[in-house]
Amino acid sequence: MVSRNRDAVVSNVCCIGAGYVGGPTSAVMALKCPKVQFTVVDIDSKRIAAWNSDHLPVYEAGLDDIVRARRGVNLIFSTEIDTAIYDADIIMIAINTPPMEKDNKLGAAADLRGIEQCMRRIAKVARHYKIIVEKSTVPCRTGDFISNILRQNSQPGVNFDVLSNPEFLSEGSAIRDLLYPDRVIIGGLVGTEGAQEVLKSIYSRWVPEDCIITMGLWSSELAKLASNALLAQRVSSINSISAVCEAVGADINEVSRGCGLDARIGSQFLQASVGFGGACFHKDIQSLIWLSESLGLHDVAEYWDQVLKMNESQMSRFVQRVINEVEGGLENIRIAVLGFAFKSGTGDARNTPATHICDQLLRQGASLFIYDPKVPDEQIRNNLTVELDNHKSQLHICHDAYNAIAGSQVIVILTAWDEFQAIDWSKAHSQMIQPAYVFDGHRILDGSFLKQLGFHYASVGILCGLDQTTNIIMQSCQERIFSEDEGVEVVDLGLYLIRGDNIAIIGLLDEKEDAEIDLENLQAAPLLALKH
C-alpha cells in the first residue's frame, strides 16, 4: 500500500477506461514496469472481452505484441471495477469527456458526468490513500472539481492526492509516443509533491529524467488543450494557404517546404489535406473556446473558432471541387472512396473528414463504394449522418481497393494509407468508366504519372490542368476593354481571364506584346487585382 511520501513503492495501478488512451497506456506501462500490476477496467463488457481476445478494439502498430506479452502476467482487463479500485495505489482516469450540447456560447463544454461518477465510486470504495491521475483531457481546474467530490464523499480517514498527467498520443504512432515521449507532464497542487514523485518513479523506468516535467495542476490541464489547439491551428493554417495555391497556381508542397525549412517554423503539421479529424482536436478546441467565452475572453474564443471554421471550409471546398470538375454532375456517378479513418495508422474514424465529405457526396446523388483497411463496416455506417434509409442503395462498403475502384468513374482519397500508393494505377484506369477522375485529398500520388495514364487528377493545393492553350494577341490599350467572345478583360495593359464571378490576372504585358497564355494555371482563380 502506497503512503504519502516520496519513498513509497507502487505495486498496483488501476486504469478506469479501456479506450484509445487507457488500453495502450496501461499496456506500455506493464511492459516497462513488470513488477507492478496494471488492471484496466471498463463498464463496457464487450470492450473488455475484445481486449482479452485476439482482435483488440484498438489498432495501433505494435500494440498487439505488447498486449500478448503482458496480458495475464501483470496486465489484466476486467469489469470488476470496485475490486480494482480497492486494490489500487494509483488510479488513472482515462474515460471519454465528449463535448456537451452547445448553448448560446461559442464552443462546447466538456461533459464531466463520467468523471463525476468515477469519483463518487472511488470515494465509496476506497479504504486507504490513493493517487488519482487525470489522463482524460479535461477543462482547466477540473482538479478542483475532482478533489471536492472525493473530499465530500470519502470514508473517514481516507485521503487522496489529485494529479494531472495528460496524454500526448498521436493516433497511428501511439506506441512509439508512449515508449519515446517528447515529454511527460505531471501537474499537482502545492502539497502534492510526494505524489508527483511517486508517479514520476513509474515513468522513470524508461523515460529520461529530463523529459519528465512537474508543474502546477492548472498549467498541466491547460497544456493539453493548448497543445492540441496549436497543432490543429497549423493544419488549418497550411490548408488556408493551399486554397491560395489553388487560386494562383502555386504548389502547396513547395510552399510548405519553403516555410518548413525555417527553423522557427519547422516542417511538422505542414502537410495540406482535406482537414483534421479524430477525437481530440475538434473537442479540445471546442472546450478551449467555451472556456474563453466563459471567462469573457470573446476575442480569444472567436480566434480559435476560426480554426474550426477553416477546417470545415477545407472539407467543403474539396467536395465542391469534385462537383465542379466531374462533367455532368454526380447524380448516379459511382465513386470509389479510398480511406475513411481520420488518418493513416489507426482505425479511428471519430470526427473524420470522410464523414462530412461522404455525406455531401451522397446528397449529390453519387453512389459510394468505400474501402478502408482498418475501420469496421459498422463504424462507417454509424458515422454517416445522412438518412441512410433514403440513400441505402447508394452506399456500399468494400474490403479491397480494387473492388471499390472497378466500375467507378471517380476516386477520392480521404486517408493517406501507404497501400493506396502501391495500387496498380494502370490496371485501375482500365477498370474505370471514362473519363476517369482521381481527387487526392492528401497529395500521396504522383499526379504527373496519373495524367500520363489518362486520369483527370486533382489534389489539394494545386490547380487541375485544362487540356487547352490559347493565344491572345494584346493591343495597346489604356482603357478597359471587354470581349465577350474571348472572355478577356484588359485594364491598363493588364490581362485578366474571367470565369463566372472569378477574375484571374494572366500577366502584365508591354504595349503590343503578343502573349501565349497557358490556361492550365488559371482555373477557378479569384480576383487578384484590377490594376497593375
Side-chain angles (χ1 to χ4, degrees), residues 425-490:
W425 286 102
S426 178
K427 174 183 175 181
H429 186 266
S430 68
Q431 295 178 340
M432 294 179 66
I433 296 173
Q434 303 301 318
Y437 298 80
V438 173
F439 294 90
D440 186 352
H442 290 271
R443 291 294 298 274
I444 63 172
L445 303 179
D446 184 342
S448 297
F449 174 68
L450 291 184
K451 289 179 181 179
Q452 290 176 6
L453 293 176
F455 282 102
H456 173 107
Y457 176 81
S459 184
V460 293
I462 56 171
L463 279 172
C464 174
L466 292 178
D467 297 327
Q468 56 177 321
T469 300
T470 185
N471 292 308
I472 301 177
I473 306 301
M474 288 296 300
Q475 296 180 349
S476 175
C477 177
Q478 295 297 325
E479 296 181 356
R480 178 169 299 185
I481 300 173
F482 177 68
S483 169
E484 293 184 358
D485 293 333
E486 294 179 338
V488 171
E489 183 173 346
V490 180

Side-chain angles (χ1 to χ4, degrees), residues 76-321:
I76 296 173
F77 297 95
S78 172
T79 56
E80 298 294 327
I81 299 175
D82 289 350
T83 300
I85 290 173
Y86 183 87
D87 292 338
D89 303 313
I90 297 176
I91 301 176
M92 300 189 299
I93 310 300
I95 66 172
N96 193 21
T97 53
M100 297 183 70
E101 291 295 325
K102 297 185 69 170
D103 50 25
N104 293 328
K105 298 185 182 73
L106 290 174
D111 188 345
L112 299 181
R113 287 175 293 184
I115 297 283
E116 179 180 358
Q117 291 172 5
C118 281
M119 293 308 110
R120 293 187 182 279
R121 192 160 187 171
I122 291 169
K124 179 180 178 181
V125 173
R127 292 296 185 271
H128 60 80
Y129 167 73
K130 299 182 187 299
I131 298 172
I132 308 300
V133 180
E134 300 171 347
K135 295 295 294 182
S136 302
T137 304
V138 294
C140 192
R141 302 190 76 93
T142 298
D144 259 349
F145 173 70
I146 289 174
S147 296
N148 289 336
I149 295 174
L150 293 172
R151 184 170 54 251
Q152 294 169 10
N153 296 277
S154 62
Q155 303 296 319
V158 178
N159 296 307
F160 302 90
D161 279 327
V162 177
L163 303 178
S164 168
N165 176 219
E167 52 84 14
F168 295 99
L169 306 182
S170 175
E171 291 193 46
S173 62
I175 300 304
R176 185 182 68 234
D177 296 338
L178 287 164
L179 291 172
Y180 310 103
D182 294 328
R183 79 288 202 199
V184 171
I185 292 178
I186 302 174
L189 296 175
V190 174
T192 64
E193 292 83 1
Q196 287 178 299
E197 288 297 321
V198 170
L199 183 57
K200 186 175 179 179
S201 72
I202 294 287
Y203 284 106
S204 64
R205 313 285 177 93
W206 77 96
V207 180
E209 189 167 347
D210 59 356
C211 291
I212 306 175
I213 304 168
T214 57
M215 62 177 64
L217 185 58
W218 317 138
S219 298
S220 177
E221 291 176 340
L222 188 54
K224 169 62 176 177
L225 290 180
S227 293
N228 279 344
L230 290 168
L231 291 173
Q233 177 200 48
R234 282 177 70 93
V235 176
S236 281
S237 294
I238 199 63
N239 281 342
S240 72
I241 300 300
S242 77
V244 179
C245 287
E246 292 171 21
V248 302
D251 185 323
I252 188 59
N253 283 359
E254 295 175 348
V255 174
S256 295
R257 183 168 181 267
C259 296
L261 289 173
D262 188 326
R264 298 168 300 173
I265 298 172
S267 61
Q268 292 199 33
F269 282 77
L270 286 185
Q271 293 75 44
S273 67
V274 289
F276 61 76
C280 295
F281 282 6
H282 191 273
K283 173 176 71 72
D284 291 353
I285 294 177
Q286 289 272 32
S287 182
L288 181 59
I289 293 170
W290 184 89
L291 176 64
S292 301
E293 275 283 289
S294 299
L295 296 172
L297 304 173
H298 306 301
D299 290 345
V300 176
E302 291 176 1
Y303 173 84
W304 289 108
D305 190 51
Q306 288 301 316
V307 173
L308 295 180
K309 288 180 177 178
M310 184 65 239
N311 195 51
E312 294 169 1
S313 172
Q314 185 76 349
M315 291 183 273
S316 297
R317 282 196 323 105
F318 185 81
V319 173
Q320 193 59 49
R321 189 165 187 181

